[in-house]
Amino acid sequence: MAILGLGRKTVPARAGVDAPVPGTPPLRANRVTKSYLNGSVIALDDVSFDVHANQVTAMIGPSGCGKTTMLRLMAGLEYPSRGDVTMFGRPIPGPGPERGMVFQAYTSFPWLTTRANIEYGLKLQGLSRAERRARAEHFLELVHLEGFADAYPAELSGGMKQRVSIARTLAQNPALLLLDEPFGALDAQVTWEMEEMIVEIIERENKTVVVVTHDIQEAIYLADRIIFYTRQPGRIKADLPMAFKEGRRFQKKEEMLVHPGYVDMERQLYAMMREEIRGRVS
Amino acid sequence: MAPEHDGRAQPGGRDTPAGEPAPVFRPPRAPFLDVLGKLSQRRTVVLGVAGVIIFFAVWEVAHYATPAEKQRFLPSVEQVVTEIAYLFAEKNFIADVGTSLYRIYASFFAASLIAVPLGVFMGCFVKLRALISPTTGGWRYLPAASFAPLLLVWFGPTDFAKMALLFLGCFFFLVALILDNTLAVQRELIESGLTMGASRRQVVGITFRAAAPHILDSMRNMIAVAWTYLVIAEIIVATDGIGAVMMRAVRFLHVDIMMGGILVIGVLGVLTDISFRLASRALFPYLRVRR
Ligand SMILES: Nc1ncnc2c1ncn2[C@@H]1O[C@H](COP(=O)(O)OP(=O)(O)O)[C@@H](O)[C@H]1O
Ligand SMILES: [Mg+2]
């Protein structure tokens, strides 16, 4: 691991050229409202929360509640209509490599092989050829695509393409990981494999992660804390620490599934989801 | 009598005794118009050739069905082919073909050379799009052929006048098509580049790479239209080229020459199309699944 420089070569979290403000969280949504179509669609309505360092924050809620929108605001791909999103106290100036993003849609470049796709971001960072090779090799192995290093995306299944995107973002080694339903298109067995892989990497490299998912079980497994959104307009319905984990993460998913704390949490989240789908019970 | 089983799986399955090969599967007979049908490469070629043969057969039948005194207005296939051979052998037709090819390729690639970067930049940058798109879009509705008299007055019966007409005929459509190709690039592809730290320049590169196969397709379709303008240009100012040879044939009612010219253009068009397809295969090998 040391030869790869993993963990040391992290792209430093920074906001543009400005130095971080001491004592500020990696990401902060401050009274964020985001509306579309001249205000006729309100995706997010006055949302405030902090993303804590070295924590996994999961955002969950019914479809269309603004989860992707919040992630895109953090990535700097969009700007809030009101309020602001800051990174270490500085307004986010736009997208940057210190905030790696995995998209819901397949985003591997069709003209590059799996390996070249993984190396692409590293090339932009100015890594040497040898170092790029070594890192690509490592992440190819991690997502079980060693055998497809020289295949083009057209030759891969949907799940494999998504694994390329995941490997590409992880290889870039960003301080902040933004994941938008990264496993939504994978089949069940690959999904939990990938979930465990992510947990392992987060654990080892102390990453700060924001993950969007519609899967309750996945949210509980990955998260240290779950932010639950209400259906349109998106507001925070609940902010739930995964206290039952007592500060540790489960290496194997099945270890969590039998934990009484997990069962309670799952029941609670299902109840919330039902409430939102039916419309609020007043 | 069904064979006895002891409950264990047998090689060869339950109904075929072990050791015997499995029965051959015969798919149901497919109708000629088969939805989602599959066709081997060989049969694809066979059908394509059959189509060509049917076309020429219909032509031949039409010739012989025409009353004898009118047959010279619809010459037979062999008469036209003989005429083409005669033109090449005796009339230095190859020079006219060369001239026409030069005109079409030179003006088309000149148009592409400007239209491709312009279309891509317009696709990438909304302000360029807003500035340029209404003008280039509007030009498409001005019939290029109607510029022929104007170009003739401006530049005289020169090569330049003809090529300017070709350029006008292709350029604005090319810009519009390439703009569409660029706008069709999946948004997340570009955004993922941005989140990996791509500069603005690199993002334009990503967009171009993603649109490139479709851009080449647009060019392939557009060069077919360019042939129309070539013939118009050569017929209006009939100095040389395939169109001019056809125009001169009008005076002596040489229908076989006219049809020969059309046939030659058709063959050149098909060859152009094939070369574009081959170029696409060579340039974008990643689009095809290797075995
Ligand atoms: N570019 C856009 N233009 C208009 N409406 C949008 C746009 N993006 C998102 N929305 C709307 O904002 C709401 C939240 O969308 P999104 O964040 O994608 O939801 P989620 O990811 O939680 O399913 C939805 O109602 C969606 O239709
Ligand atoms: Mg979404």
Side-chain angles (χ1 to χ4, degrees):
Chain A
M1 230 38 29
I3 42 159
L4 295 172
L6 292 174
R8 284 189 292 113
K9 269 278 156 90
T10 301
V11 182
R14 58 182 169 79
V17 285
D18 298 329
V21 179
T24 51
L27 289 166
R28 165 174 285 168
N30 179 35
R31 307 204 58 184
V32 169
T33 294
K34 177 68 182 176
S35 54
Y36 289 107
L37 311 172
N38 292 321
S40 60
V41 176
I42 298 171
L44 293 168
D45 184 25
D46 204 354
V47 174
S48 300
F49 67 96
D50 287 356
V51 171
H52 303 303
N54 309 329
Q55 261 205 6
V56 180
T57 305
M59 300 199 287
I60 189 166
S63 187
C65 67
K67 308 181 291 290
T68 296
T69 303
M70 180 50 87
L71 211 62
R72 291 174 59 82
L73 290 170
M74 290 172 165
L77 293 168
E78 269 173 74
Y79 299 101
S81 312
R82 307 203 61 159
D84 57 6
V85 182
T86 56
M87 179 167 49
F88 292 111
R90 306 283 185 188
I92 287 170
E98 74 286 348
R99 278 157 293 141
M101 176 133 170
V102 174
F103 293 78
Q104 217 170 340
Y106 305 133
T107 53
S108 37
F109 296 146
W111 57 92
L112 296 180
T113 60
T114 302
R115 178 182 288 129
N117 259 297
I118 297 175
E119 286 187 20
Y120 182 87
L122 308 179
K123 208 167 168 178
L124 294 183
Q125 285 175 28
L127 261 65
S128 77
R129 218 186 132 77
E131 207 168 352
R132 291 203 305 260
R133 259 295 130 99
R135 267 222 230 177
E137 218 56 56
H138 172 75
F139 284 96
L140 275 168
E141 221 168 279
L142 208 62
V143 296
H144 311 310
L145 285 176
E146 311 95 313
F148 294 88
D150 298 312
Y152 289 109
E155 299 168 305
L156 303 179
S157 71
M160 288 158 105
K161 276 187 242 186
Q162 193 63 346
R163 279 186 273 161
V164 176
S165 300
I166 292 168
R168 182 164 81 165
T169 306
L170 288 175
Q172 180 188 326
N173 208 5
L176 297 161
L177 260 178
L178 308 173
L179 312 174
D180 191 3
E181 306 203 12
F183 314 127
L186 306 191
D187 54 47
Q189 166 248 322
V190 181
T191 299
W192 62 255
E193 257 190 292
M194 291 290 118
E195 286 168 0
E196 289 183 354
M197 178 198 87
I198 288 274
V199 164
E200 192 191 320
I201 291 170
I202 294 165
E203 192 76 33
R204 190 171 63 211
E205 299 182 22
N206 261 335
K207 295 221 181 282
T208 305
V209 183
V210 183
V211 56
V212 166
T213 172
H214 59 253
D215 184 78
I216 290 173
Q217 197 182 81
E218 178 173 285
I220 303 173
Y221 179 62
L222 294 178
D224 302 315
R225 165 192 179 206
I226 292 177
I227 295 182
F228 199 109
Y229 284 83
T230 59
R231 194 164 63 164
Q232 278 205 328
R235 297 199 187 99
I236 295 181
K237 181 184 177 76
D239 188 341
L240 308 158
M242 295 298 105
F244 77 92
K245 291 189 181 177
E246 294 166 335
R248 56 179 277 269
R249 298 189 180 105
F250 298 92
Q251 287 303 318
K252 294 206 176 80
K253 201 172 175 185
E254 63 269 28
E255 287 171 6
M256 176 192 77
L257 296 179
V258 295
H259 195 291
Y262 162 75
V263 180
D264 288 343
M265 183 54 66
E266 189 177 30
R267 191 176 295 136
Q268 192 182 343
L269 287 171
Y270 266 102
M272 282 185 179
M273 200 62 101
R274 276 186 205 287
E275 218 173 88
E276 281 310 310
I277 296 166
R278 282 212 201 99
R280 208 182 284 261
V281 213
S282 51
Chain B
M1 264 291 285
E4 294 278 317
H5 283 303
D6 58 1
R8 276 181 297 180
Q10 291 188 355
R14 278 178 175 273
D15 297 331
T16 313
E20 263 181 46
V24 175
F25 176 70
R26 294 188 198 288
R29 224 186 117 72
F32 185 76
L33 301 177
D34 187 18
V35 176
L36 296 178
K38 288 198 176 79
L39 204 59
S40 72
Q41 199 140 31
R42 217 189 103 219
R43 294 196 60 191
T44 308
V45 172
V46 168
L47 279 179
V49 171
V52 174
I53 291 173
I54 291 170
F55 168 76
F56 283 108
V58 169
W59 172 355
E60 199 73 351
V61 168
H63 167 75
Y64 286 107
T66 310
E69 73 276 10
K70 293 213 172 132
Q71 274 188 351
R72 69 184 183 112
F73 292 110
L74 184 59
S76 65
V77 178
E78 59 273 17
Q79 280 169 338
V80 171
V81 171
T82 315
E83 188 59 38
I84 293 173
Y86 167 78
L87 284 175
F88 275 115
E90 306 287 332
K91 295 285 183 182
N92 198 21
F93 191 45
I94 192 79
D96 289 294
V97 171
T99 309
S100 292
L101 279 177
Y102 161 72
R103 280 176 190 150
I104 195 166
Y105 278 106
S107 49
F108 182 78
F109 283 108
S112 303
L113 211 61
I114 306 175
V116 171
L118 186 64
V120 171
F121 281 127
M122 281 163 68
C124 287
F125 305 114
V126 66
K127 283 179 187 159
L128 278 185
R129 190 155 72 240
L131 179 72
I132 301 170
S133 178
T135 311
T136 52
W139 263 88
R140 283 179 305 161
Y141 292 95
L142 310 179
S146 65
F147 283 83
L150 192 62
L151 292 170
L152 194 59
V153 170
W154 281 349
F155 305 113
T158 56
D159 250 16
F160 186 83
K162 294 181 184 111
M163 286 163 70
L165 182 71
L166 266 162
F167 186 97
L168 285 177
C170 302
F171 179 74
F172 299 99
F173 280 96
L174 269 175
V175 172
L177 288 172
I178 290 159
L179 172 60
D180 280 350
N181 295 148
T182 310
L183 289 176
V185 172
Q186 192 198 359
R187 190 191 168 90
E188 285 92 347
L189 211 64
I190 299 166
E191 289 177 339
S192 76
L194 286 171
T195 59
M196 285 190 287
S199 65
R200 214 162 25 149
R201 197 195 188 127
Q202 284 159 335
V203 164
V204 175
I206 292 172
T207 312
F208 175 67
R209 288 294 312 250
H214 308 287
I215 290 177
L216 196 66
D217 259 349
S218 296
M219 287 171 65
R220 184 171 59 81
N221 289 323
M222 205 57 225
I223 202 165
V225 179
W227 282 98
T228 310
Y229 293 111
L230 173 81
V231 175
I232 290 172
E234 289 182 346
I235 281 178
I236 291 175
V237 190
T239 49
D240 52 357
I242 304 174
V245 171
M246 286 160 71
M247 200 55 202
R248 268 181 261 138
V250 170
R251 247 178 288 164
F252 308 101
L253 285 181
H254 270 312
V255 178
D256 43 2
I257 295 184
M258 300 173 202
M259 291 177 71
I262 293 174
L263 206 59
V264 167
I265 291 175
V267 170
L268 292 174
V270 170
L271 290 178
T272 306
D273 202 89
I274 290 172
S275 23
F276 265 89
R277 284 179 198 275
L278 290 178
S280 175
R281 276 182 175 223
L283 287 170
F284 314 117
Y286 55 83
L287 293 177
R288 294 181 310 137
V289 177
R290 292 166 295 183
R291 266 156 269 230

